[in-house]
Amino acid sequence: MGRYVLRRLLQMVPVFLGTTFLIYALVWAVPGDPFEGKCGERDCPQAYISAMRDKFNLDDPLPVQYAKYLGNLLQGDFGLTSSGLQVGERIAATFPVTLRLALVALLVEAVIGITAGVVSGLRNRGFLDSLVLVSTLFLISVPVFVTGYVVQLVFGLQLGLISPTVTSPTFGNLIVPGFVLASLSMAYVARLSRASIAENRRADYVRTALAKGLSTRRVVGVHLLRNSLIPVITFLGTDLGTFLGGAIVTEGIFNVPGVGGLVFRSILTKDGAMVTGVVTVLVLVYLLMTLLVDLLYAVLDPRIRYD
Amino acid sequence: MSRALLVPAAVAVALVAAGCGTPETSTGANTEAGISIFNTEPENPLVPGNTTEVGGSHVLDPMFTGLVEYRSEDAQPVNAMAESIQTDDSKLFTVKIKKGWTFHDGSPVTAKSFVDAWNWTAYGPNATQGASFFSQIEGYQDVNPKDPDGADGPQQAPAPTADKLSGLKVVDEHTFTITLSEPFAVFPVTVGYEVFAPLPEAFFKDRQAFEAHPIGNGPFKFVSRTVGTDIKLTRFDDYKGEDKPKFKDLTLKIYQSRESAYADLVANNLDFMEELPPNALAGKKYETDLGDRVVSRETLNNQTIAFPFYTKPYDNASLRRAISMSINREEITQRIYEGSRKPADGWVHPLMKGYRAGQCGQHCEYNPEKAKEEFAKSGYTGEIVLLSNTDGGHQEWAEAVANSIKNTLGVEARFVPSTSFGEFRQKVNAHEMTGMYRSGWIADYPSIENWLTPLFRTGASSNDGLYSNPAFDAKLAEADKAPSEAEAIKLYLEAERMLADDMPSIPLWTQNTIAGKSNRLKVANLHPFRKLDLDSVEVVA
């Protein structure tokens, strides 16, 4: 197991280099000089533009620029944005917020999704099954921004039950955006666990367990669920990565000061240093999440071993 | 015209106040209250000379008081820190500043505070965004030499030969003189812009500490900043100016999107938003959402179509006139903007002092017959292209304008989008436009001159289309040298009139900005510079 983890960690190095280079190249390759639109309809003073180009090494060839950036990055220096803010500090400030939001969403997704999936999977073709199928179909077909605006409009503005935006990002305040963010994946989790449960319900080991006289609760809760959750765990794991990086829409609607908004605004203002920094961190998170998921497999199914 | 528009605004304010049943006096207001207003994340370090974008200037504007400020009623400059600005020849200005003022850290505001700040901003190696505003002062070329082949060229800009503007002299503690390289009658009007703010000693000692905690001399002082969330300011109680605020704390809240800010405004969680998002403007939704909390006002910006004089056939005056006369401004402003834009009849904004209506004459009126005649005269039969960026909500009107031209002239007229403002500006700056293009102007300072010189004078800073008319240039130069403001205005208007035949750009419309306030604010007016007029704000007791 230890060697497997080590091997996986080493594999991350080329992936990390490749992705950061791609991001770096793409960010600075977006058409338009990043300092042209900075001063509105009038041109920026030449001294300003040349100082900025110098600061971001824009006059060097791309590989040299990237090497300089990587050199700083390896020393833990994410650099400064064009407005003089520390990229590292901004990531440290926004990441915990998004992590909190993602955890709330993951919890909502796992609890509601798996429960609905198990219930409908056990009662094939019953009323509950059809209900879950129809409601998940509905959730899948509605984009997150629609869910978000509708929730904000109905519960926030018309009924006045919630604040239309998040005033401070505490766990309690993040429940509503968490629900919105989780809504789509929740439906997938429900369907995934339903299919898995329905398939495994007729498996030999379940029949054996029942024949041995174990209670249905124990058979379902321990034997059936444990095996059926493997694909679901994979989905949840990668989804946490997606939540961390892709909460742009939800964060925008509910004004959550997290990573999504930071990336979005940085792209709009062409703050290359910020975009590269944040996305680099996201790549790392994603890699670690997939490693964690793979390790969880072994815990769930003893037949899977990585040696 | 400007006065006529201001009257309804004043009446509306009075009506709202009357409707609340309280007279509009400060006794009925809660002077210890705090308010929150919408803002975007500042894109630059918080230093006045380095801030030309909106998010940063909304923070610095209440924190600094310059020599003059622009009145909210008519955008006219009034002395703020200046006791007097005198000149005999529009070239040498003597500025006396008021005594007894201090910065927020207790240090006095002196003539040196202004001179040092201006020198710092203008000095090339400091790489400020505001440097070019000092280009009229004598010695600018020495502190900020021009790069001979532009910033992209291989040659380096020559090193500055001086680190101070030779045109600035401190006479005594409260007096300094400004010498311009050319006479410029309007100069005193320009110095109300934020890049001309004074800076305290503390700034020159430790710039980084200052950026983290800016120190100004204005009605509000800095409290704290949480990047990405908010910036907090509070009233400076030792403030000596006339415009003392009638409330205590000012929070500039930073939103991820305008839409989320609007939701907060509707729910009364946010107190003021100076420009509503498109989803609120569509179908006049804001009227049902906000009711009497809507605040609107004509502001100092316009929309025009500019021509690349370096690209054929746009250097043809007949063609330019034909295009202008084939655009149905009335219908487009009604259909697309539901009347929140007003068709323009000249290049100078109607709110300007001395503005004269109808300067563009028949060439800015929709007239299919005349347009076809002119078009035939131009001898051009090919396609007409209109370029614009689409990230600022420009697609709708640009398509409508292209259609209007197509239907009237019976030629192929096409709108060509460009994805981002930055990319669009880059092509404009590099003179690579392949057709006529969207342009707009927001006044830097309230003077007729600002709507003409930077845009149309040969070689001027924002004359991106490379228009050149020696007679027009001569008229502007004559106006710049005029001994009095009234005389200058008269000459500038004559210059504007000269543009009507040439149509170096097509004036389309001016904007009525629509803002909104919460029910906590008794009074909140918009400033012509499209921001909240903080002096006017009164909070319900």
Side-chain angles (χ1 to χ4, degrees):
Chain A
M1 191 76 147
R3 280 178 64 193
Y4 172 74
V5 174
L6 194 68
R7 205 168 67 229
R8 282 290 300 264
L9 287 174
L10 283 177
Q11 276 172 6
M12 282 185 191
V13 176
V15 176
F16 174 77
L17 289 178
T19 43
T20 47
F21 178 74
L22 273 182
I23 297 157
Y24 190 88
L26 285 175
V27 163
W28 293 110
V30 170
D33 188 311
F35 306 108
E36 287 284 359
K38 276 257 174 207
C39 304
E41 298 279 348
R42 69 166 59 232
D43 291 359
C44 284
Q46 281 178 5
Y48 173 79
I49 296 182
S50 24
M52 282 295 170
R53 293 190 70 86
D54 209 39
K55 188 174 161 190
F56 292 99
N57 307 316
L58 289 186
D59 294 324
D60 292 333
L62 188 66
V64 179
Q65 282 181 41
Y66 174 68
K68 284 184 180 170
Y69 178 77
L70 197 67
N72 287 333
L73 198 63
L74 291 178
Q75 293 164 27
D77 178 13
F78 282 92
L80 293 173
T81 66
S82 55
S83 52
L85 297 172
Q86 286 276 356
V87 173
E89 268 177 30
R90 293 295 299 129
I91 295 175
T94 50
F95 214 83
V97 175
T98 302
L99 188 66
R100 237 173 282 164
L101 177 65
L103 285 178
V104 171
L106 192 73
L107 201 71
V108 169
E109 175 186 3
V111 172
I112 300 184
I114 294 177
T115 314
V118 169
V119 168
S120 72
L122 289 178
R123 279 175 227 177
N124 233 344
R125 306 263 165 245
F127 168 72
L128 270 176
D129 188 31
S130 311
L131 183 72
V132 168
L133 280 178
V134 169
S135 54
T136 50
L137 184 69
F138 176 74
L139 277 181
I140 289 171
S141 51
V142 181
V144 173
F145 77 90
V146 175
T147 327
Y149 278 124
V150 168
V151 167
Q152 184 180 56
L153 182 72
V154 175
F155 296 101
L157 294 176
Q158 290 178 349
L159 300 177
L161 294 175
I162 56 165
S163 164
T165 63
V166 171
T167 37
S168 65
T170 57
F171 273 110
N173 286 340
L174 289 175
I175 290 177
V176 176
F179 254 97
V180 171
L181 184 58
S183 63
L184 187 63
S185 323
M186 192 161 79
Y188 282 117
V189 168
R191 293 201 149 202
L192 211 54
S193 39
R194 174 186 171 274
S196 193
I197 291 269
E199 193 185 305
N200 287 333
R201 206 155 59 113
R202 284 182 286 275
D204 291 346
Y205 67 89
V206 174
R207 230 181 12 217
T208 315
L210 284 172
K212 268 163 66 184
L214 292 180
S215 68
T216 328
R217 177 175 298 191
R218 193 169 162 77
V219 172
V220 171
V222 178
H223 298 260
L224 180 57
L225 206 55
R226 190 163 155 172
N227 273 297
S228 310
L229 280 188
I230 290 182
V232 180
I233 292 284
T234 319
F235 186 79
L236 287 177
T238 45
D239 223 29
L240 184 62
T242 319
F243 284 163
L244 282 172
I248 295 181
V249 176
T250 318
E251 286 183 3
I253 294 173
F254 292 101
N255 198 37
V256 181
V259 169
L262 183 66
V263 173
F264 183 63
R265 254 176 301 131
S266 311
I267 293 173
L268 282 189
T269 53
K270 294 236 172 81
D271 229 329
M274 185 72 90
V275 180
T276 341
V278 180
V279 178
T280 304
V281 173
L282 289 177
V283 167
L284 283 178
V285 169
Y286 222 91
L287 290 174
L288 287 173
M289 283 313 302
T290 43
L291 176 61
L292 195 69
V293 167
D294 285 350
L295 295 180
L296 267 180
Y297 281 173
V299 177
L300 283 173
D301 189 342
R303 285 173 300 182
I304 305 174
R305 280 287 175 261
Y306 297 116
D307 282 319
Chain B
M1 188 67 99
S2 68
R3 307 279 161 162
L5 266 158
L6 289 168
V7 173
V11 171
V13 169
L15 283 177
V16 170
C20 297
T22 37
E24 202 186 325
T25 55
S26 51
T27 47
N30 179 1
T31 53
E32 292 304 301
I35 70 166
S36 60
I37 65 174
F38 170 83
N39 199 29
T40 49
E41 182 69 40
E43 284 178 29
N44 292 301
L46 293 172
V47 175
N50 197 13
T51 300
T52 53
E53 53 75 53
V54 180
S57 63
H58 279 177
V59 180
L60 294 173
D61 191 52
M63 287 181 55
F64 286 89
T65 299
L67 293 175
V68 301
E69 298 226 303
Y70 306 123
R71 257 194 324 228
S72 69
E73 305 92 78
D74 53 6
Q76 279 310 298
V78 284
N79 282 347
M81 272 233 61
E83 184 79 52
S84 65
I85 303 176
Q86 283 167 333
T87 182
D88 296 326
D89 54 2
S90 299
K91 190 165 189 260
L92 174 72
F93 293 84
T94 307
V95 180
K96 283 196 179 355
I97 63 167
K98 287 175 184 162
K99 291 173 185 157
W101 282 54
T102 60
F103 285 103
H104 300 152
D105 63 354
S107 59
V109 187
T110 61
K112 197 168 172 294
S113 317
F114 280 95
V115 171
D116 286 352
W118 294 13
N119 276 329
W120 182 85
T121 308
Y123 186 54
N126 289 333
T128 59
Q129 289 194 356
S132 53
F133 285 90
F134 297 87
S135 58
Q136 275 142 339
I137 298 175
E138 202 172 77
Y140 180 77
Q141 282 309 322
D142 299 330
V143 299
N144 201 338
K146 236 194 176 105
D147 195 337
D149 52 2
D152 295 332
Q155 286 185 54
Q156 288 288 319
T161 52
D163 59 356
K164 295 207 159 47
L165 288 161
S166 59
L168 294 178
K169 294 249 160 25
V170 177
V171 176
D172 61 44
E173 188 143 326
H174 295 103
T175 315
F176 68 101
T177 58
I178 309 162
T179 314
L180 305 181
S181 39
E182 288 292 320
F184 184 41
V186 180
F187 186 74
V189 179
T190 68
V191 296
Y193 194 60
E194 207 170 76
V195 297
F196 292 96
L199 287 170
E201 282 289 317
F203 171 79
F204 302 100
K205 281 193 190 119
D206 187 350
R207 184 180 161 190
Q208 280 199 326
F210 181 91
E211 282 170 9
H213 190 115
I215 299 158
N217 65 331
F220 285 92
K221 61 181 177 189
F222 184 84
V223 177
S224 65
R225 173 180 186 189
T226 314
V227 176
T229 310
D230 59 16
I231 294 170
K232 290 193 163 80
L233 307 179
T234 188
R235 187 167 55 201
F236 176 50
D237 286 321
D238 293 331
Y239 184 64
K240 300 283 188 306
E242 312 265 305
D243 49 339
K244 286 195 177 66
K246 296 173 210 123
F247 61 95
K248 192 153 187 284
D249 299 309
L250 177 65
T251 303
L252 297 121
K253 252 182 114 171
I254 288 148
Y255 278 90
Q256 309 291 320
S257 69
R258 270 179 190 276
E259 285 75 19
S260 62
Y262 180 71
D264 259 4
L265 180 74
V266 174
N268 285 308
N269 282 353
L270 176 73
D271 290 321
F272 194 84
M273 191 174 176
E274 87 285 351
E275 203 177 358
L276 303 184
N279 71 341
L281 297 175
K284 292 204 175 183
K285 185 170 171 287
Y286 62 90
E287 285 188 347
T288 43
D289 285 346
L290 296 172
D292 61 0
R293 295 196 275 133
V294 174
V295 179
S296 83
R297 160 143 211 198
E298 191 169 31
T299 47
L300 284 173
N301 44 323
N302 74 355
Q303 191 72 254
T304 59
I305 294 176
F307 292 100
F309 281 78
Y310 46 83
T311 306
K312 287 208 175 298
Y314 301 98
D315 54 348
N316 182 329
S318 286
L319 178 70
R320 296 196 296 272
R321 285 194 291 263
I323 292 172
S324 177
M325 287 189 289
S326 66
I327 300 170
N328 194 340
R329 295 170 180 74
E330 200 66 49
E331 192 186 330
I332 294 170
T333 49
Q334 284 305 324
R335 285 268 176 87
I336 293 177
Y337 293 113
E338 314 208 19
S340 69
R341 302 287 192 279
K342 223 178 60 182
D345 58 0
W347 290 267
V348 170
H349 195 281
L351 282 178
M352 288 295 92
K353 184 178 182 184
Y355 160 81
R356 194 183 296 157
Q359 284 279 76
C360 179
Q362 55 172 359
H363 292 154
C364 285
E365 281 159 21
Y366 177 57
N367 190 338
E369 295 306 310
K370 273 247 159 100
K372 276 188 206 124
E373 250 172 60
E374 280 287 344
F375 188 61
K377 234 189 273 174
S378 78
Y380 181 70
T381 46
E383 176 187 64
I384 292 168
V385 174
L386 171 62
L387 300 111
S388 169
N389 56 317
T390 50
D391 51 351
H394 295 296
Q395 180 148 8
E396 290 82 1
W397 72 256
E399 276 172 353
V401 164
N403 274 332
S404 193
I405 297 168
K406 189 170 158 181
N407 296 339
T408 314
L409 299 182
V411 286
E412 191 52 44
R414 206 155 50 89
F415 162 62
V416 180
S418 172
T419 47
S420 74
F421 182 63
E423 186 200 351
F424 180 69
R425 281 306 308 176
Q426 190 181 22
K427 284 196 199 140
V428 171
N429 291 341
H431 309 303
E432 284 170 3
M433 296 319 259
T434 51
M436 55 183 193
Y437 55 95
R438 175 200 80 79
S439 64
W441 190 246
I442 301 168
D444 296 317
Y445 46 86
S447 164
I448 288 182
E449 186 268 345
N450 192 237
W451 298 88
L452 302 173
T453 305
L455 294 167
F456 304 120
R457 194 178 200 157
T458 308
S461 61
S462 294
N463 185 353
D464 302 315
L466 305 182
Y467 170 69
S468 177
N469 179 348
F472 174 77
D473 290 349
K475 188 60 87 179
L476 284 184
E478 194 187 337
D480 288 347
K481 291 190 184 75
S484 72
E485 195 192 5
E487 192 67 24
I489 287 176
K490 209 184 114 223
L491 290 164
Y492 283 127
L493 286 175
E494 280 174 28
E496 186 194 10
R497 187 81 207 169
M498 295 163 89
L499 295 177
D501 267 337
D502 242 4
M503 298 299 293
S505 79
I506 298 177
L508 292 174
W509 40 75
T510 55
Q511 189 180 344
N512 206 5
T513 299
I514 294 170
K517 67 180 178 78
S518 74
N519 58 12
R520 291 181 62 241
L521 301 191
K522 196 161 77 173
V523 187
N525 297 333
L526 264 176
H527 192 276
F529 278 101
R530 206 160 54 166
K531 60 183 182 184
L532 172 63
D533 173 22
L534 286 167
D535 308 351
S536 76
V537 172
E538 286 181 30
V539 183
V540 172

